Amino acid sequence: MKRILLCDSDLLTKLSDEVPSNKMRQSLVQGLIKGYKLDELCEIIDVEPIEYKRLTLYHDMDFIKQLILDRKEIDQQSENHEVISNKISEVFDLIEDLVDDEVDAKDDELYGLSHDCYPFPFMKYYINLTAASTIQLSERMCEYIKSQHQQQFQSKIIGLNFYGGRHHGSKSKASGFCYINDINLGISTIRKNLPNSNIFYLDLDLHYGNGVAEAFKFSQKVTTCSVHRFDVGFFPNAGSFEESRTGAYNISTKRGLNDESLKWILEEVVLNLIKKHKPNFLIIQVGCDGLATDVHKQWNLTIKGFNKVIQNLINDIDRSIPIMILGGGGYNNAETAKCWTHLTNFLLDSNFPKDINDFQNEIPEHSLLDYYENDGYKFWTETNSNPSKMHNENTIESLQEIKEYLLSL
């Protein structure tokens, strides 16, 4: 038996569409999942606002106050200002604000709210619901885990939150398009609800999951492992495998990482680390900026290859371990939507198609179908079905060196 939970919120979708780095991405993601009716096979977590004070479970209060500063002039820049404003009035009606007259926009840069994380319309509400999505998914999963322990039966619990996965934010600073670190809030929520939990966090984004690694580097109950592109000057300019320590592992790769190399890494390194630390909760961040179709052009992964590796990992670990899957990077919006929809289908083992590696190629009729016009309204195209001609600089010798180093810690 398998229980799949999926976070969904019309308001959070609209708010996420305002994020400068991911304009309209969330509507494409949620829209394609619903277009294939995969949401009907999931238990929906209808994300609701939380008190802003709950964000201090990880973040500093002064940082939160800066994030939720009223910025009405910026809010009015949204093309959907009236629609979103009306929805916010309904949804946030009973949520207490944190008003502080001393907070001023002139301090934005101190908190990282400039450059790649500049303020955008309705940011304070996006912050709230993004944090709430991972917190509430964590709480629901913990409830089911406790219930199963009491009733002595086991079903596979998988939680999906493609709003989340913001892995660069620190306690008091936004960074790398990440205004808040929902992952750390989720981990802290799990630890609060299940004090004996032993959590393994796996980051598959192109970029190093520094915000999570830094937060738990001294924890005995949280293991972090990040597979990422590493090079001098490549954001966040950290995360070499030599910087690893027991419980905080960096699998730093070179340009051109392909499906075969990622499969080798997960089978030869990550699975061994999971067996070593014996977690009873697994969190996977599945950023799509490593796809060959992404604008970064640094890795050479395909949708099928990436998702098959994730599926294999899930199949290879103890079925009793609950798994939370979070979004992250991905800057080709249509391809990110396809990747996460395909992954959702993988995890559901839905009735179509019979071969889970395949997928209905005609994208179903839905409100955002026109966004796929350049793809001929097809799911699979020549571009996303195959890797590019990028050279894979990750040799078996270089990967073997990383493996030997990390498994010796």
Side-chain angles (χ1 to χ4, degrees):
M1 180 181 175
K2 187 185 290 185
R3 187 190 295 270
I4 308 289
L5 313 176
L6 174 68
C7 288
D8 188 39
S9 161
D10 288 342
L11 177 55
L12 181 51
T13 296
K14 289 183 173 65
L15 294 171
S16 299
D17 284 348
E18 299 284 340
V19 178
S21 59
N22 298 122
K23 285 276 190 178
M24 276 301 293
R25 187 184 77 175
Q26 206 63 43
S27 281
L28 290 178
V29 172
Q30 304 299 121
L32 196 59
I33 289 173
K34 293 176 182 178
Y36 280 102
K37 302 186 185 305
L38 299 178
D39 59 312
E40 298 176 8
L41 303 174
C42 301
E43 178 181 331
I44 300 300
I45 305 293
D46 189 10
V47 184
E48 299 178 349
I50 57 178
E51 297 295 334
Y52 282 103
K53 289 180 181 177
R54 294 192 64 187
L55 277 59
T56 62
L57 184 61
Y58 170 67
H59 291 286
D60 289 337
M61 176 64 82
D62 287 344
F63 175 54
I64 298 303
K65 287 180 178 178
Q66 193 72 29
L67 284 175
I68 67 172
L69 178 68
D70 274 327
R71 304 170 190 268
K72 290 185 171 54
E73 290 184 4
I74 295 178
D75 293 349
Q76 290 170 357
Q77 295 172 9
S78 170
E79 295 177 3
N80 300 307
H81 177 263
E82 188 173 347
V83 172
I84 295 177
S85 293
N86 291 338
K87 188 66 176 176
I88 285 171
S89 297
E90 297 173 15
V91 173
F92 278 80
D93 184 41
L94 300 176
I95 298 301
E96 183 181 357
D97 220 332
L98 294 174
V99 179
D100 189 335
D101 294 336
E102 295 183 6
V103 178
D104 195 300
K106 71 178 187 303
D107 294 325
D108 280 350
E109 193 159 353
L110 178 66
Y111 295 98
L113 296 175
S114 59
H115 306 298
D116 61 353
C117 285
Y118 57 87
F120 62 93
F122 304 109
M123 183 174 75
K124 65 181 291 185
Y125 305 104
Y126 163 80
I127 296 298
N128 185 301
L129 289 179
T130 299
S133 64
T134 302
I135 288 173
Q136 288 165 9
L137 178 59
S138 300
E139 289 175 334
R140 184 71 63 84
M141 292 182 73
C142 288
E143 287 174 9
Y144 284 135
I145 293 165
K146 289 178 182 178
S147 175
Q148 288 195 163
H149 287 165
Q150 292 170 355
Q151 299 178 31
Q152 295 185 327
F153 74 93
Q154 293 290 335
S155 65
K156 190 70 175 176
I157 301 173
I158 300 177
L160 305 175
N161 180 20
F162 299 119
Y163 299 103
R166 302 296 175 169
H167 60 169
H168 293 307
S170 69
K171 264 184 166 314
S172 58
K173 199 165 187 176
S175 176
F177 308 142
C178 301
Y179 293 80
I180 196 161
N181 198 314
D182 65 284
I183 305 169
N184 291 347
L185 288 166
I187 291 173
S188 298
T189 299
I190 295 166
R191 297 183 71 194
K192 182 179 179 181
N193 283 272
L194 300 171
N196 295 322
S197 59
N198 180 11
I199 301 168
F200 193 102
Y201 171 75
L202 173 62
D203 195 310
L204 299 178
D205 195 277
L206 175 68
H207 300 88
Y208 174 42
N210 58 319
V212 185
E214 183 65 25
F216 298 104
K217 65 181 180 181
F218 297 119
S219 173
Q220 298 298 311
K221 290 292 188 177
V222 180
T223 302
T224 63
C225 177
S226 177
V227 184
H228 53 267
R229 170 81 167 93
F230 175 79
D231 203 353
V232 176
F234 188 78
F235 186 85
N237 204 27
S240 69
F241 75 88
E242 294 94 343
E243 297 173 54
S244 301
R245 55 189 295 167
T246 302
Y249 304 100
N250 302 329
I251 302 178
S252 48
T253 70
K254 302 174 183 178
R255 191 170 185 272
L257 186 81
N258 59 21
D259 297 340
E260 292 73 24
S261 292
L262 183 63
K263 180 176 183 288
W264 190 95
I265 288 170
L266 264 67
E267 291 178 351
E268 295 292 325
V269 185
V270 175
L271 265 174
N272 280 310
L273 292 174
I274 290 174
K275 290 174 183 176
K276 174 181 179 179
H277 288 275
K278 298 181 174 60
N280 51 21
F281 207 114
L282 176 63
I283 300 174
I284 311 176
Q285 197 264 26
V286 293
C288 291
D289 40 5
L291 293 178
T293 52
D294 192 81
V295 298
H296 280 88
K297 304 294 183 187
Q298 290 292 324
W299 278 354
N300 201 14
L301 304 174
T302 66
I303 290 175
K304 285 184 181 179
F306 184 53
N307 288 337
K308 185 64 176 176
V309 165
I310 296 170
Q311 184 194 38
N312 289 345
L313 176 68
I314 291 173
N315 289 340
D316 284 342
I317 65 171
D318 189 326
R319 69 180 302 276
S320 68
I321 298 176
I323 300 166
M324 182 186 296
I325 293 178
L326 303 172
Y331 305 95
N332 181 326
N333 292 348
E335 292 302 308
T336 299
K338 289 179 181 181
C339 187
W340 289 341
T341 300
H342 186 251
L343 177 59
T344 303
N345 186 62
F346 252 152
L347 299 173
L348 282 165
D349 295 334
S350 68
N351 291 328
F352 70 84
K354 291 181 179 178
D355 176 2
I356 205 67
N357 253 325
D358 201 356
F359 207 73
Q360 290 183 339
N361 204 34
E362 293 284 346
I363 292 177
E365 182 68 43
H366 66 291
S367 62
L368 297 174
L369 181 61
D370 286 347
Y371 279 85
Y372 302 94
E373 182 179 3
N374 291 338
D375 294 341
Y377 309 105
K378 305 288 188 183
F379 194 96
W380 298 119
T381 64
E382 185 67 28
T383 305
N384 72 10
S385 296
N386 301 291
S388 72
K389 295 180 180 179
M390 186 188 306
H391 173 63
N392 184 6
E393 297 176 6
N394 299 277
T395 64
I396 190 64
E397 290 79 15
S398 66
L399 296 177
Q400 190 71 38
E401 180 185 8
I402 294 173
K403 173 185 176 179
E404 292 175 1
Y405 184 84
L406 296 186
L407 297 187
S408 69
L409 294 176

